[in-house]
Amino acid sequence: MKTIDELLADGVSGKRVFVRADLNVPLADGTITDDGRIRAVLPTVKALADAGAKVIVASHLGRPKGAPDPAFSLLPAAERLGELLGAPVAFAQDTVGPAAHDAVDGLEPGQVAVIENLRFNAGETAKDDTERGEFADRLAALADVYVGDGFGAVHRKHASVYDLPKRLPHYAGYLIATEVGVLRKLTDDVKRPYVVALGGAKVSDKLAVIDQLLGKADRLLIGGGMAYTFLKAKGYEVGISLLQEDQVPVVTEYMQRAEKNGVELLLPVDVVVAGEFPDLKAKAPTEHTVVDADKIPADQEGLDIGPKTRELYASKLTDAETVFWNGPMGVFEHPDYAEGTKAVAQALVDSDGFTVVGGGDSAAAVRTLGFDENAFGHISTGGGASLEYLEGKTLPGLAALED
């Protein structure tokens, strides 16, 4: 995989460089609530601009259905990128049409343009290779060189991720190079004890990675909504908690295999429960109680790990040499149910080991709860991509850059 440093060494002054970034930032009423992914691509964009390239930044945002949708416009991300760069950033209101070509043609060396949401064109996500290829051809006409730096999208076989680099000289940006280097530390020559904390809503999203980790990790700490399927598999009442009943047999087999392999698989010993899901916008105090994990009332919902579990999990992270954390321990967006996620994050901060926060909601939680990002070994920009890498899958976006 050739890197951006090799591209810069060859010289890029005056060249049109297409940067596939991941600007898929959360928005609330058109306002960015977490700009972490924009800041993550800054080193690549700035290095290219400083070297005199004409930089074209492209990304997806959300899940528009192959047509323009103002709710998913990249304009707020383009404006924030300009603020962070301290320089004007042109914005094209289409992807490969007249506006995109005008924006690119108007660039002077060292300037940056952002084109509109790639998913406004159905060719970006098309299953049909020909349709996807035709869109990639039109994107290729905008540029001379391709730099892949959208790690959060490399597990997608999309036109701008997989097909476009096959049509242009291609290089990995600083973010992708960093992300891959970190993930190799989690898969090759891992320093032990190796502890993995997994949370989030659905256990089905994590089954494949758990399957792999049962042969690699020393300890698995389970929290979040997915924990209740495990607790159900132990025969516990889980009330109205999030539950994937169809996954109970799989989870049961995993617990048995963990014991056989000598892997500690820890589940919550107590949970914070409430009679209804909280209003995340109001964030008003709610009625909630702490109960043992085997005593959840039938009319209550588990929304966070309890204080005993927080202490237990923190103790299991203390001596870790390598930690990977993906998924919050509870509904961290509400202050009444944020303490479990906060406890795991603090344990990572206090750890002397190599700590990796696996993107998505975990990364958002770190910032929302006020932690210093520099206190962690690495905060990934791609939760799904990180998990698929750890599952041992071939990621299309990385494979395209390696050709």
Side-chain angles (χ1 to χ4, degrees):
M1 186 185 294
K2 291 187 289 187
T3 69
I4 187 176
D5 284 332
E6 295 173 78
L7 172 60
L8 293 171
D10 291 339
V12 293
S13 183
K15 290 184 178 180
R16 301 171 302 164
V17 181
F18 188 104
V19 177
R20 203 326 181 165
D22 179 9
L23 308 181
N24 186 29
V25 292
L27 295 170
D29 300 321
T31 300
I32 296 170
T33 58
D34 182 354
D35 67 358
R37 285 177 169 168
I38 301 174
R39 288 186 284 112
V41 79
L42 276 179
T44 291
V45 173
K46 193 171 188 312
L48 290 167
D50 289 348
K54 299 176 180 181
V55 186
I56 306 136
V57 180
S59 176
H60 70 286
L61 192 153
R63 296 180 182 273
K65 298 179 179 179
D69 183 338
F72 297 105
S73 175
L74 274 177
L75 179 58
E79 292 174 340
R80 181 58 179 150
L81 178 62
E83 292 172 358
L84 293 169
L85 287 171
V89 168
F91 180 70
Q93 294 181 325
D94 60 28
T95 55
V96 290
H101 281 275
D102 287 347
V104 174
D105 291 345
L107 290 175
E108 296 293 332
Q111 293 184 336
V112 180
V114 174
I115 62 175
E116 187 53 285
N117 191 336
L118 292 165
R119 291 185 182 175
F120 284 3
N121 190 304
E124 169 68 1
T125 59
K127 301 292 186 185
D128 181 76
D129 291 348
T130 300
E131 185 181 355
R132 216 175 49 246
E134 288 173 353
F135 183 50
D137 287 338
R138 297 181 71 186
L139 289 172
L142 295 171
D144 305 305
V145 181
Y146 177 93
V147 172
D149 216 30
F151 180 74
V154 294
H155 59 313
R156 306 294 187 193
K157 194 176 183 180
H158 290 170
S160 66
V161 176
Y162 178 75
D163 302 271
L164 182 54
K166 295 175 179 294
R167 288 157 168 77
L168 295 170
H170 46 270
Y171 302 82
Y174 290 126
L175 175 61
I176 279 187
T178 298
E179 294 272 15
V180 171
V182 166
L183 288 169
R184 283 175 178 159
K185 290 185 179 181
L186 299 179
T187 53
D188 304 328
D189 300 320
V190 180
K191 292 185 177 180
R192 298 184 180 279
Y194 178 21
V195 184
V196 177
L198 295 175
K202 294 182 178 180
V203 70
S204 57
D205 293 341
K206 304 291 197 308
L207 287 177
V209 76
I210 293 172
D211 183 52
Q212 287 292 314
L213 290 170
L214 286 174
K216 296 177 180 177
D218 298 300
R219 297 175 198 141
L220 293 177
L221 316 180
I222 306 295
M226 62 182 284
Y228 301 100
T229 300
F230 280 88
L231 294 174
K232 185 70 173 180
K234 286 178 69 84
Y236 296 171
E237 166 68 58
V238 297
I240 58 172
S241 305
L242 190 61
L243 172 66
Q244 289 185 279
E245 190 91 45
D246 61 321
Q247 302 299 334
V248 168
V250 181
V251 164
T252 301
E253 190 272 326
Y254 282 2
M255 290 193 293
Q256 292 169 347
R257 184 142 56 93
E259 185 175 3
K260 180 180 178 182
N261 291 354
V263 176
E264 280 190 89
L265 195 157
L266 291 101
L267 302 177
V269 295
D270 60 346
V271 295
V272 183
V273 299
E276 60 182 3
F277 198 83
D279 183 339
L280 299 184
K281 287 187 177 181
K283 297 186 179 180
T286 64
E287 290 188 15
H288 58 277
T289 56
V290 176
V291 298
D292 290 342
D294 61 349
K295 293 182 173 60
I296 298 175
D299 62 347
Q300 298 282 298
E301 178 177 10
L303 297 171
D304 193 15
I305 57 174
K308 294 177 184 176
T309 307
R310 294 170 213 155
E311 186 175 345
L312 171 66
Y313 284 11
S315 72
K316 294 296 182 177
L317 290 162
T318 300
D319 66 341
E321 288 291 332
T322 304
V323 181
F324 176 71
W325 169 37
N326 182 282
M329 296 290 109
V331 186
F332 74 91
E333 298 91 342
H334 193 285
D336 288 347
Y337 311 103
E339 292 303 316
T341 302
K342 193 180 296 184
V344 169
Q346 187 62 55
L348 265 67
V349 169
D350 295 339
S351 170
D352 292 328
F354 179 60
T355 57
V356 179
V357 180
D361 287 340
S362 308
V366 163
R367 290 186 275 267
T368 299
L369 297 174
F371 286 92
D372 180 0
E373 294 180 47
N374 294 321
F376 302 88
H378 179 70
I379 298 179
S380 178
T381 57
S386 295
L387 289 175
E388 291 199 15
Y389 189 100
L390 293 181
E391 289 167 22
K393 290 184 177 179
T394 297
L395 307 187
L398 295 185
L401 290 176
E402 289 167 352
D403 288 343

